[in-house]
Every structure is written in structure tokens, then in C-alpha cells.
Amino acid sequence: MSDGHRSSDQPLSPAPRTALLSAAVRGDDDSPRSPYRSMSDTERSALWRQRLHEAEAGLTRYLVSLGDEVRLTAWFALQAEIFADLPDPGAPPYAWQRIFFRGQALMERFLVDRYGEQVLADWARANADVHREVEPDHGRGAADPIHRIARQAELYGSDYEFDDDNPPAADRAAVTITHCAIWDYREQARRNGVRLTLSSPCTYCTEALSANISAKGFVPTHRLRSGPTGHGCRWEASVPGQAGADTPGGN
């Protein structure tokens, strides 16, 4: 998932560290629980690092595909900014979260300013090529990419619910994000004076998640939702030929 914004002249502050923000925004303390709410700090930090690796290596792949159109001095300067002031490997998750958000913002700005917003989909597909190689397969079939989405949602403190338990090597799996805390973070960033690149974080996020599911050999479908619990979405992954009937047209 992407926060869908770019930085101002100041580094991005970290997004909420726990799931408490989304509950606080809605004024309740009964947000749905999930098996990933108990992820350790080590696991959370590792996922932030992996997401940064997927994004930066994906951007490298995309720029290679442009041939000699890339101004290498600008690209090297961007990499230096992305990886400046790296925390220690054992630093708490919010420290790596800050690095990811800063990197994501810098890469979005680099691409949009030079090539236009339309290339973000190409970047998402390049990232997915990296994701295919570095995201482990856990033998759960279509549930594997769905659990990755849930783990990312957990990093932001979003509320989400899985469908009923799926058997091993499931042909179909789905997760519903009932409250997307990325929107909370964006509003916090907006209030802090950060310029937002995209009008909605869904613009890039849906491209990225769809590409990741496809890269793992499954068919992605999604539906955006908005209601009393805020912005959200439903994601499904299925083996080819098994796409759910409730998401006609694929998205």
C-alpha cells in the first residue's frame, strides 16, 4: 500500500505506530482484531524494509527499461536521499516506517515530476517483479497474497477482516479492509503542510496490490468501499478461471 503523497521540504514524520489511531479517529476502542495484530517489532521492521527494497529495486528496474533516457546524476542523488540516515537493524518499527515513507514520497515525486502520473502503474508492475522474487511462498495458495495485504494493512493500523478460513493451497481467498488508516495518515500529513501528489491513495495502491497478486500467479479483483467506518476496500485473489462472481469486470 502506498500513502500516495510526496514530501514537502521537510522529511515525512512517521505514520501511526499502532492500530490505535483508526479506533481513536472513529471514537471507539473495539476495532476488529486480527492474527497479525500481535506481530513482533522485529517482524514489523522487516516488512517495512522489504517494502522499501521492493519499491527501490522496482524503480531501478523501471528506469533500466527506459534505456538512456535517465539522468543518472539525478537518480544517484535520489538514492542517496532514500538511504540517508538509515537506523540500526534493531531499531523499532517506527524508525524503519519513517524511512519507507520518506523513500516512497521521494520516488513518487521523482517519477511524477519527470514522466507524469501515468507511469506509476508501470512502476507498480516493476515493483511486483521484485515482489515475486523476495516475498516467500507459504503454501497457502491464493491466501498467500491476501495475507501479505493484511500484513501491510496491519502496519498502518487499519481494520480488516478475512473471509472464512481457507484450506491449504486455497483456490480463492479474500480480505476486507473495513477502515483504511492510510487515509488517516494522509489527513495528518495534509494538516502538517505536506503536499499530496495524488488525490487518493487508492490511485497507486490498487495498481500495486493488483500487480503483486498477479505476479504471484493469481487473478486480482478489488472493490473500493466508503461508509460509516471510513474508506476501505475488499481484495480477492483466485486461481485463473476461479474469480469471484461478486466483482464483475475484475476491479
Side-chain angles (χ1 to χ4, degrees):
M1 297 173 185
S2 165
D3 54 295
H5 74 268
R6 67 179 175 188
S7 61
S8 63
D9 293 334
Q10 299 299 319
L12 287 168
S13 59
R17 300 181 195 175
T18 72
L20 297 178
L21 176 64
S22 58
V25 168
R26 297 192 310 280
D28 69 76
D29 294 317
D30 297 319
S31 56
R33 309 298 290 175
S34 87
Y36 294 115
R37 193 111 322 160
S38 59
M39 271 201 302
S40 68
D41 283 356
T42 299
E43 292 173 310
R44 291 172 185 269
S45 293
L47 186 52
W48 284 119
R49 287 194 296 268
Q50 181 177 327
R51 295 188 63 206
L52 178 61
H53 173 49
E54 291 173 356
E56 190 274 339
L59 182 51
T60 299
R61 287 192 178 204
Y62 175 66
L63 294 178
V64 168
S65 74
L66 299 180
D68 61 358
E69 297 179 26
V70 180
R71 295 182 179 178
L72 291 178
T73 301
W75 170 227
F76 296 153
L78 175 67
Q79 288 178 307
E81 284 190 84
I82 291 171
F83 295 117
D85 305 320
L86 285 180
D88 294 332
Y94 67 82
W96 287 102
Q97 185 178 32
R98 178 183 64 84
I99 297 298
F100 171 81
F101 277 124
R102 182 182 67 188
Q104 179 76 18
L106 289 168
M107 288 183 278
E108 286 181 5
R109 180 172 63 186
F110 181 87
L111 284 171
V112 172
D113 284 355
R114 286 165 175 77
Y115 307 107
E117 187 176 311
Q118 70 277 2
V119 305
L120 293 178
D122 297 325
W123 179 36
R125 286 188 289 271
N127 294 352
D129 288 339
V130 179
H131 171 81
R132 181 177 55 246
E133 302 298 333
V134 302
E135 175 66 18
D137 292 328
H138 299 283
R140 295 173 298 199
D144 270 358
I146 291 301
H147 276 260
R148 166 62 187 258
I149 292 174
R151 290 172 64 222
Q152 288 188 196
E154 181 60 47
L155 290 181
Y156 294 94
S158 297
D159 293 336
Y160 54 96
E161 301 169 347
F162 288 107
D163 275 13
D164 293 338
D165 289 341
N166 299 107
D171 288 343
R172 174 185 170 277
V175 64
T176 299
I177 298 175
T178 56
H179 178 87
C180 177
I182 298 173
W183 285 84
D184 302 332
Y185 175 71
R186 280 169 54 87
E187 288 308 307
Q188 181 188 39
R190 191 195 306 275
R191 289 192 296 270
N192 289 340
V194 174
R195 287 185 299 154
L196 302 181
T197 300
L198 307 177
S199 59
S200 163
C202 307
T203 302
Y204 176 75
C205 189
T206 53
E207 295 282 0
L209 296 183
S210 294
N212 282 356
I213 294 172
S214 297
K216 286 295 187 176
F218 299 99
V219 177
T221 56
H222 73 272
R223 183 171 63 240
L224 301 180
R225 20 181 303 147
S226 181
T229 60
H231 296 281
C233 53
R234 173 181 167 81
W235 284 90
E236 181 179 306
S238 58
V239 299
Q242 297 290 325
D246 63 335
T247 49
N251 287 325

